[in-house]
Every structure is written in structure tokens, then in C-alpha cells.
Amino acid sequence: MSQEQTPLFSGLVAHAKKNPIQFHIPGHKKGAGMDTEFRQFIGDNALSIDLINIGPLDDLHQPKGIIKQAQDLAAEAFGADRTFFSVQGTSGAIIAMIMAVCGPDDKIIVPRNVHKSIMSAIVFSGAIPVFIHPEIDKDLGISHGITTDSVERALTQHPDAKAVLVINPTYFGISADLKKIVEIAHSHHVPVLVDEAHGVHIHFHDQLPLSAMQAGADMAATSVHKLGGSMTQSSILNVREGLVSAKHVQSILSMLTTTSTSYLLLASLDVARKQLATKGKELIDKTIRLSQSIRKRINEIDHIHCVGEEILGSKATFDYDPTKLIISVKNLGLSGYEVEKWLREKHNIEVELSDLYNILCIISLGDTDAEGDLLVNALKELASECEHRVGQIKPLEVLLPEIPVLALTPRDAFYAETEVVPIEESEGRIIAEFIMVYPPGIPIFIPGEIITKENLHYIRENLEAGLPVQGPEDDEIKTIRVIKEYKAIQ
Ligand SMILES: Cc1ncc(COP(=O)(O)O)c(C=O)c1O
């Protein structure tokens, strides 16, 4: 088969055109049994391929027909031995990837700034995380990737580790020297698992960081939906055979996946793969040019800085993806969240994320000069609105708390006997839940860590800035669940 073909999408369309009488789910029966307003809005075409795993349409759990053909084409396009489609996002693929190599009490080497799905997988599998400190960028207030030296040290201290997990690239588009990390891990016979949620496109352009498969990694969970043109929630899991078994990965993935897989999502993966494989280079060329031109124009605005290749050169900033615009706004005397809100209210612009100091804008295959002009002009207006006060702004001290000490494994803490205490009385206790700001979804606390004053202060700062702090059962975060302590009886 050729990369121009879309066996899954074309198979679905051909099936729908036959207009079969459907005595099977989904019960909306091509939209006929559905709320009319929604049906008209979504359209009959989409509803006609919202189908299920009947014989001619194959089954994601045991693919032998059109899904297998689509997955095989994806494997060829991504340079993998096997590619599995995920209808549960990269979160689902990450959990399967980790559970495929780690069981209870197995060690996994991970950077501490990982997405919550990695921590969930650690709780589910019972694995013991060996944390690596990511490199902290004090100027931007963000964390980058891990260094080759720290991976080497971690593997020397923990030669029994079952895997090394790397985020490549990070949410902000920064990459570590993944090829070297893979060489180091493989010299210890340890597989490398990559969280490639933000890097589906990098495989298709040589001006972008190396993809997981290009760097020789063993598995990569990749959000096609984020930057590759498929529908939200559709991702892939790429596997290189050798240190991991694709058959085992498939069975774990199947255990974790709904039996009612969305064919709309699956078909969108098939067509996204075709577009990336056949036109990716040309489309990404255009995207890189557009983002560089926006970056340059943003950097002509006073007091706003859009990060570029000057960020490279540290051990954790080996390469970067220029299509991510990290825009530092701290010199305007505003938080990233305030700028996010201002852009929404004044210009109907939505950014990817904001934090205390930055906003992140993503330029993708779907953008044109027109969107770029709107962003640049809005930021110019904002900078001139702030002009009168920038002279009075004191240099901001970027706040990034220490990584807390892990006293219990996340799973032991998660399942331990717990109690709820007021947050202001929680310092020194062991937390039993996650707390994170989403996006980006990187935990401030994970179950098992000792609560510190600095981290409580950091949570307060984020809450006061209006950022979405999530995780605890108490969504107002007035109380927090901690491991129960028993005092000696008097
Ligand atoms: C670094 C990272 N990994 C994994 C994920 C999970 O991806 P998905 O939303 O496709 O489940 C995200 C999502 O934001 C992420 O930022």
C-alpha cells in the first residue's frame, strides 16, 4: 500500500455509501435517532461513519483488516516497527507504554516535571519512580528536559531500572539530546520510553528536533491530535521491537481501551498520517517560516520577549521547535494569565496556555499570516497600554519551588489510610493526592511527597493569579488529603 492511501477512512466511507440497514450500535443509527439540532450541526457525513467494530470494519483490539492496514502505514510513516492507534489520547498510550514495561516495585527513571498520566501509570503499575531533576530556566520560570549526565548517573545508581522516560520535546518545544540518552540507556540494556505528546510533526522535517523513532527510542506516545491534524483524543503509540515486545504492548493497550472505539477518531488518524507522510515537509516548512516571522515581529515589541534559538546551548536545551512561541510577559508587570484573559476579552484570541510569567502560542499546519498579524498587533497594543508603568516594575523574582521529597511510593500513598486537613496545617505531612496546574498538567505534588512551605506558597501564588490549580478532591483547595498519622496514646 502507498502513503497516499487511507484504507480505514476509505473503507468506512465505502461502507457508509452502501447504506446498510443497521441492527447494531450506535443506536443513533446514522443520526436518525439523535437530537435534531445536534445532528444538523454535526452533519450526516460524520454520523454515517460513527460506526462500530462489525466484521467489515475490523477491530482495534485485534486488528486484521482496515485498521491493521492503517496502523501498518502509520508505522512505515513514523519509522516504527509497530504503531498502535489510541482513542484515549496520549494519556492512554502513556499509561499502556509504562504498564507494558513496569510492574509493582519496578523502578522507572523519570523527570519530575512529567504529565499527570505518567504519575497515574506509576500509581496503577506500582512502579517506583526514580526522579531526575529537570533543568530549571530561572529566567522563564519553566522547566526543560533532562541531561545526558543525569540519565547516566541515574542508571549507574539504579542499574535495575526497567525504563527511562523522556519528554521530547517538552510542552514548550525544548528537546534534550535524545539520541545520546538512548545510547546511554541502551548501553545498560534499558529501554527508552518517550512522551512525544508535543512532537508528532518533528518526524517530518529535518529542521525540527529528532523524533523518538529517529533517535532509536523503544516506544513513543505521540499526540497526533495536538499538532498533526487528527481529531482531539486520537494519538498513536509507536514501538521499536527488541527491548520491548509489541505483542505485550498490544495486550496491555487493549486491557486499558474502551471496546467502543470511535471510528471517527480512528479515521482521522489515518488521514492525518497520509497528510504528514505525503505533504508534511512542505506544510511544516510553511509553518516554520510563519512562526519565525511572528517571533521576529514580537521581538520588535518593547518589554515582550519571544524565545528563540538563543535558548539553546545548555545540556537540557539541545534543540527546539520554533513553531512553539514562548512569549515572556513578565516585563510588562502582568502575569501570563492576565495576558491570556486580556487577549480573550479584547481580541477574541485564545492561547495554548499561560503561567505566572509567560503565554504559549502554538503555530501549526492550520495557521496563516492573518492569525499571526492579529497576535502581533494585539501584543503591540498591550505593550503600549502597559508602557506608562513598565518603568516602575521591580524585576520579578521567578518562583519555582523545590521538588518535594518522596517519602512513600505514589501507589502506597494513594492507597494508604488518609485524612483531610486544612491546607494551612498540612506542612510536613505526606500528601495522598495530586496537585497540578493544568495546562500543562505537571504536578506540584504527587502522592507520597512531603508537603513543604515553599510548595504551599507556590500553590497560593498560582491560585491568586487565577491559574487552574487542579487535582485535590476539594476543588477550592482549602483542605488537602494526607496520610493519616497516629499519635502515641497518653
Ligand atoms: C507532556 C504531555 N504529555 C502527555 C499529555 C497527554 O496527552 P493527551 O491530552 O493526548 O492525553 C499532555 C497533554 O497535555 C502533555 O502535555
Side-chain angles (χ1 to χ4, degrees):
M1 285 202 122
S2 98
Q3 290 293 333
E4 295 286 348
Q5 287 171 279
T6 51
L8 179 47
F9 173 56
S10 310
L12 282 173
V13 172
H15 181 83
K17 280 200 177 132
K18 279 197 250 156
N19 201 16
I21 323 295
Q22 293 180 184
F23 289 109
H24 61 73
I25 56 171
H28 66 65
K29 309 265 174 126
K30 306 168 205 163
M34 190 173 247
D35 174 73
T36 323
E37 192 186 344
F38 183 74
R39 177 183 177 177
Q40 280 167 359
F41 185 77
I42 287 289
D44 284 344
N45 275 347
L47 294 171
S48 75
I49 61 163
D50 183 25
L51 290 160
I52 196 75
N53 53 338
I54 50 169
L57 302 185
D58 207 3
D59 184 353
L60 184 64
H61 290 264
Q62 224 176 11
K64 293 192 173 77
I66 53 178
I67 295 181
K68 177 163 189 332
Q69 290 168 348
Q71 291 190 150
D72 287 350
L73 281 170
E76 184 184 278
F78 283 91
D81 290 332
R82 291 286 299 277
T83 293
F84 300 104
F85 288 175
S86 164
V87 290
Q88 284 161 205
T90 295
S91 300
I94 280 177
I95 296 172
M97 172 166 85
I98 292 175
M99 293 189 79
V101 291
C102 288
D105 299 330
D106 285 341
K107 290 180 188 164
I108 177 164
I109 296 171
V110 285
R112 175 57 179 73
N113 59 329
V114 286
H115 184 259
K116 64 177 186 172
S117 56
I118 292 168
M119 291 304 173
S120 304
I122 286 173
V123 170
F124 297 153
S125 63
I128 302 171
V130 173
F131 286 127
I132 297 190
H133 276 255
E135 195 179 84
I136 303 294
D137 190 318
K138 287 245 160 74
D139 184 38
L140 292 168
I142 61 176
S143 29
H144 298 315
I146 49 178
T147 65
T148 48
D149 295 350
S150 58
V151 173
E152 181 73 73
R153 270 197 302 278
L155 281 164
T156 309
Q157 284 173 32
H158 301 276
D160 52 342
K162 287 287 186 307
V164 174
L165 188 136
V166 186
I167 312 163
N168 189 76
T170 64
Y171 209 141
F172 293 96
I174 309 296
S175 280
D177 186 351
L178 185 59
K179 195 155 188 267
K180 187 82 194 290
I181 290 176
V182 170
E183 277 165 24
I184 294 169
H186 284 179
S187 72
H188 292 258
H189 307 288
V190 173
V192 175
L193 321 183
V194 181
D195 173 349
E196 204 176 47
H198 298 284
V200 63
H201 55 311
I202 60 178
H203 189 79
F204 299 92
H205 202 287
D206 52 17
Q207 278 171 31
L208 296 177
L210 280 190
S211 74
M213 290 297 116
Q214 286 163 336
D218 302 274
M219 284 199 266
T222 309
S223 295
V224 185
H225 70 92
K226 287 197 204 294
L227 298 164
S230 69
M231 284 171 69
T232 295
Q233 220 172 302
S234 60
S235 292
I236 53 172
L237 179 53
N238 284 323
V239 177
R240 176 187 308 283
E241 296 240 56
L243 293 176
V244 294
S245 144
K247 281 212 161 101
H248 186 56
V249 173
Q250 161 116 56
S251 63
I252 302 278
L253 197 53
S254 180
M255 284 169 74
L256 294 167
T257 298
T258 170
T259 40
S260 305
T261 52
S262 163
Y263 276 75
L264 279 169
L265 299 187
L266 294 172
S268 81
L269 282 171
D270 196 24
V271 296
R273 180 273 312 151
K274 173 188 161 190
Q275 174 167 271
L276 286 169
T278 59
K279 294 197 214 122
K281 165 88 176 55
E282 169 199 331
L283 292 171
I284 297 165
D285 252 343
K286 192 180 119 241
T287 312
I288 295 175
R289 270 202 308 277
L290 176 60
S291 25
Q292 293 294 31
S293 124
I294 301 174
R295 172 175 282 102
K296 184 164 169 285
R297 286 185 288 152
I298 292 176
N299 280 331
E300 284 160 9
I301 306 172
D302 287 341
H303 318 299
I304 298 186
H305 174 60
C306 182
V307 175
E309 63 186 23
E310 75 286 346
I311 198 162
L312 301 181
S314 82
K315 283 189 172 167
T317 57
F318 182 75
D319 207 349
Y320 90 120
D321 170 3
T323 68
K324 300 281 171 61
L325 304 178
I326 312 171
I327 305 171
S328 164
V329 293
K330 63 179 192 198
N331 293 338
L332 293 175
L334 296 174
S335 71
Y337 183 63
E338 285 167 317
V339 174
E340 172 179 340
K341 267 187 20 190
W342 186 91
L343 288 169
R344 176 176 299 134
E345 283 157 17
K346 292 273 171 84
H347 290 272
N348 197 21
I349 290 176
E350 296 289 345
V351 301
E352 169 65 18
L353 69 77
S354 63
D355 61 21
L356 292 174
Y357 317 105
N358 314 289
I359 56 170
L360 177 70
C361 292
I362 280 173
I363 307 301
S364 78
L365 313 180
D367 287 305
T368 64
D369 287 334
E371 287 85 38
D373 293 347
L374 289 171
L375 177 65
V376 173
N377 290 337
L379 291 174
K380 271 188 195 155
E381 186 184 315
L382 177 66
S384 70
E385 265 189 25
C386 295
E387 188 60 54
H388 64 281
R389 58 199 180 102
V390 280
Q392 298 144 29
I393 297 165
K394 291 202 208 91
L396 192 72
E397 198 204 330
V398 167
L399 190 70
L400 262 186
E402 276 297 298
I403 295 173
V405 172
L406 191 69
L408 285 178
T409 72
R411 184 189 179 93
D412 285 346
F414 190 77
Y415 288 113
E417 208 180 331
T418 58
E419 60 184 334
V420 171
V421 297
I423 190 154
E424 56 282 0
E425 290 168 26
S426 64
E427 188 190 334
R429 301 292 298 268
I430 300 174
I431 190 163
E433 50 190 359
F434 290 98
I435 301 188
M436 74 209 80
V437 181
Y438 189 88
I442 293 161
I444 301 168
F445 283 123
I446 59 167
E449 286 180 336
I450 299 176
I451 298 170
T452 61
K453 195 159 58 197
E454 291 73 32
N455 282 280
L456 290 175
H457 178 59
Y458 185 66
I459 291 172
R460 223 170 292 121
E461 290 269 310
N462 277 280
L463 282 170
E464 277 164 17
L467 286 156
V469 182
Q470 292 182 4
E473 282 170 20
D474 173 10
D475 52 20
E476 288 182 31
I477 323 207
K478 294 207 165 86
T479 59
I480 199 162
R481 190 167 281 283
V482 294
I483 307 298
K484 197 168 168 76
E485 284 178 353
Y486 289 94
K487 300 231 161 74
I489 297 162
Q490 301 278 346

